[in-house]
Amino acid sequence: MPALVNYSGDDNFYSGGPFCSGDSGILLSIGSHVDIYCPARKRARISGPLVVEGSVFEDKRPSIDRLPDECLFEIFRHLPGGRERSASACVSKRWLTILSGVRSSEFYRSKVPQGQSDGMNVDLASNNTESISQDEDLAVECDGYLTRCVEGKKATDVRLAAIAVCTSRRGGLGKLSIRGSNSDRGVTDLGLSAIARGCPSLRFLSLWNVPSIGDEGLFEIARECHSLEKLDLCQCPSISNKSIVAIAKSCPNLTALTVESCLNIGNESLQAVGKCCPKLQSITIKDCPLVRDQGVASLLSSASSLMKVKLQTLNISDCSLAVIGHYGKSITSLVLSGLQNVSQKGFWVMGNARGLQTLASLAITSCRGVTDLSLEAIGKGCPNLKQMCIRKCFFLSDNGLVAFAKAVGSLESLQLEECNRITQTGILNAISNCNSKLKSLTLVKCMGIKDLSPESLMLSPSESLRSLAIRSCLGFGSTSLAMLGKLCPQLHHLDLSGLCGITDTGLLPLLESCEAGLTKVNLSHCVNLTDEVVFAVARLHGGALELLNLDGCHKVTDASLEVLANNCPLLYDLDLSKCSITDSGVDALSCGVQPNLQILSLSGCSMISNKSITALKKLGRTLVGLNLQHCNSIGSHTIELLTENLWRCDILS
């Protein structure tokens, strides 16, 4: 038999112990005439008894895993630093679980005797250069600079426990965001409790769509994380007033609170936050059915440092807005959206209370209480208002807009979206009557604007207006543009995207009226514009032009690229998507002076083929972004070559 298997060596059996030195196998005797040899294995996976034909052989090798959790807890509590704790947590899920249950304050910290000399300290340091002193390790743990975000399937209790144990040696966890949850092993109170115990330096906590986290997890955050400054809760149905009250009482440094779509959070939470968090500066409450006037009024009347307030889709009434108008002396930014129970009286009282003296930004969306009368009151009651945005307020008309423009004294930016009772006359009068500080005007989907014949209006031009955006206002036409050109001679930014009704004839007077030089022009989906407009832009504003968007202007051809190539040295962003561009146009663009062109979009230009590869390589010297999506005449091999050559450019194909 030895010869058959080419076996050479000693044929004798050795009872008990290894066959030879270095052999970890053992020989077991189970009778007077029978011995069994057990070869070595990489790792003993089972430390229990071995049974062979009724005989029991106990594995008497010592194992730390045989210790109960209480003993392991005490051992882990004496680990010298974060590196050792992280290594121990990698051994098994059991060790990780036990380590995550040790509070940061419970770790043993050795004390150096007061009589110990400095020389001894120097000797100890020189003998062990790789060791880290306990004082240094503690200082690192308390910094709290790290940021972690877990999403979807990665959001589990085990991952949070690992974060809690391992971040202490790298600065301490300062910001944690949990987005969604694993459907099988989602985040629960256990995972959040591990974070609380291991990360007392936590300053920012964000929980989005985690239905398994309830009050117990936040109770632990309140007990351990007293430095918490920002709390963001969204779609957390298991969290109630109890835990928010605990957070408010234990975290006096709280500066920002966001509660969105949390069905069990209501007035009691807001009352506690207003009373116990004197540093609160920002509050956002959205879609919380239990929040009523009592909670909002208590919060706003107590939080004297509040600067940013956002109230959306709440069951509050005129009372809450009256409190805002009276007590909001420190508020600089206010957002009110979907407040269906607030009437004209509420907004009128908010303005006439004259408490919003420092308000600089106001956004109102879908509030039926915004009327001509209430908007005028807001303009008079907010003397320092600089930014105003009004969306979907269907009862606002030209009279209210003009009265507001006359009343407000510091307005710099005005945005109107889906305010369908606003007409061309109201817009032109508002621009003319507004103060000399208005810099930006934006109109979006205001269907009440019609391209009417110019009336005999005595309008004064606005020398301060720098940015004009009129987007998707389908009734806006060439006549309106000509009148705007006379009112806005100092424009730098022009956005007319989605105005299907304008033509070259109507836009040219506006371009000629802009004396300062346009730097950004967006004409996307203005389907009736031709090369003539591009020629005018290049001729009149080419020296200042930095951005030009012609997406969807299918009447623009290669002739426009030849003009742009030679007249726009500062151009860095050019969008020619779905234009009638061919290989000749791309070649002309590459031959021009374009030292700053960084972004080029040719998406949907089906007439561009593989012949443009040389021109695109030349343009790629400065490009960082190139869009070739839906260019069906460009083959995959050409895309591969461009990707290899333009290594610093992101190519979409």
Side-chain angles (χ1 to χ4, degrees), residues 283-305:
I283 182 74
T284 298
I285 309 294
K286 179 180 180 181
D287 195 19
C288 295
L290 297 183
V291 172
R292 302 296 179 93
D293 289 328
Q294 184 180 0
V296 174
S298 177
L299 172 67
L300 293 172
S301 60
S302 302
S304 58
S305 300

Side-chain angles (χ1 to χ4, degrees), residues 141-146 171-176 195 199-206 221 225-232 251 253-256:
E141 289 179 6
C142 295
D143 284 341
Y145 291 133
L146 291 182
L173 188 65
K175 180 178 180 179
L176 174 65
I195 290 292
C199 309
S201 59
L202 190 67
R203 296 188 180 96
F204 178 93
L205 176 62
S206 178
I221 292 289
C225 304
H226 303 298
S227 300
L228 190 68
E229 297 177 1
K230 296 182 180 181
L231 179 62
D232 184 1
C251 305
N253 293 324
L254 194 69
T255 60

Side-chain angles (χ1 to χ4, degrees), residues 482-542:
M483 297 186 67
L484 279 177
K486 298 177 182 179
L487 287 177
C488 313
Q490 300 298 323
L491 286 180
H492 291 296
H493 301 166
L494 179 63
D495 184 353
L496 302 178
S497 55
L499 300 188
C500 304
I502 63 174
T503 62
D504 297 348
T505 305
L507 184 55
L508 288 176
L510 174 61
L511 296 176
E512 294 172 353
S513 300
C514 298
E515 303 171 357
L518 292 172
T519 60
K520 296 181 180 180
V521 178
N522 186 350
L523 302 175
S524 61
H525 301 99
C526 296
V527 295
N528 291 318
L529 298 182
T530 69
D531 291 328
E532 292 300 324
V533 167
V534 182
F535 295 164
V537 170
R539 184 181 74 256
L540 298 171
H541 309 285

Side-chain angles (χ1 to χ4, degrees), residues 93-136:
K93 187 181 293 185
R94 182 193 177 201
W95 284 30
L96 172 61
T97 303
I98 297 174
L99 269 166
S100 66
V102 185
R103 289 180 170 84
S104 180
S105 59
E106 292 176 335
F107 283 107
Y108 174 77
R109 298 179 179 89
S110 61
K111 297 181 179 179
V112 180
Q114 294 181 355
Q116 191 172 14
S117 64
D118 295 338
M120 184 178 295
N121 290 335
V122 173
D123 293 338
L124 289 175
S126 61
N127 292 332
N128 188 13
T129 58
E130 296 182 357
S131 65
I132 301 176
S133 68
Q134 298 300 320
D135 292 338
E136 290 177 347

